[in-house]
Amino acid sequence: MTDHFGSCLCGTVSFEVKGEFDSFYLCHCQHCQKDTGSAHAANLFSKSAKLVWRSGADAVTSFTLPGTLHNKSFCKLCGSALPDTQTAGFLVVPAGCLDTEISMSPTAHIFSSSKAAWDGGLGEVPKFEGLPD
């Protein structure tokens, strides 16, 4: 069994995931675009892993978009995305909140029909090691 550790940006919330991830999806739906402010969300899913809040559990809050299954858990102080347990039988962990490396690559792009228009050809965009001059 693998343990993964993560935290929020301000460090108030920390957690441990005990177990394996089943899938790693890059979701391009319009809800995830709004939710992340980016082209897609990058979430790890597990039906069997267990979440343990190590600190700051009282700083975690959740939002469910009415009329949908779209959930987001986040730190009340810094807004960082955190693991979500709102969907019965699923643990959803935003890949970017993990502090430990994950060995799996993304399983699939999902909801690609909703892909942002500017998301095409990103491999050709210039790359910089840091902020450009």
Side-chain angles (χ1 to χ4, degrees):
M1 182 184 297
T2 304
D3 287 352
H4 301 278
F5 297 90
S7 60
C8 66
L9 186 61
C10 71
T12 298
V13 179
S14 65
F15 62 90
E16 181 176 359
V17 175
K18 295 177 176 277
E20 300 295 330
F21 295 112
D22 303 319
S23 54
F24 183 0
Y25 293 127
L26 304 178
C27 183
H28 295 267
C29 80
Q30 292 177 343
H31 300 316
C32 284
Q33 289 176 39
K34 284 274 189 192
D35 190 342
T36 65
S38 188
H40 58 76
N43 290 313
L44 297 144
F45 290 77
S46 180
K47 292 180 184 175
S48 60
K50 302 299 179 210
L51 175 66
V52 177
W53 297 111
R54 297 171 56 90
S55 66
D58 57 333
V60 179
T61 193
S62 295
F63 171 76
T64 300
L65 186 62
T68 73
L69 296 176
H70 186 83
N71 302 305
K72 178 178 183 166
S73 291
F74 55 96
C75 174
K76 292 179 190 178
L77 300 174
C78 67
S80 294
L82 292 167
D84 182 75
T85 57
Q86 301 299 307
T87 304
F90 272 114
L91 172 63
V92 181
V93 179
C97 71
L98 290 175
D99 298 324
T100 51
E101 293 287 325
I102 52 171
S103 59
M104 73 186 308
S105 295
T107 308
H109 290 269
I110 59 174
F111 294 97
S112 59
S113 63
S114 301
K115 192 173 182 178
W118 52 268
D119 191 14
L122 292 180
E124 296 146 21
V125 175
K127 295 172 180 63
F128 300 92
E129 292 291 321
L131 192 61
D133 295 329

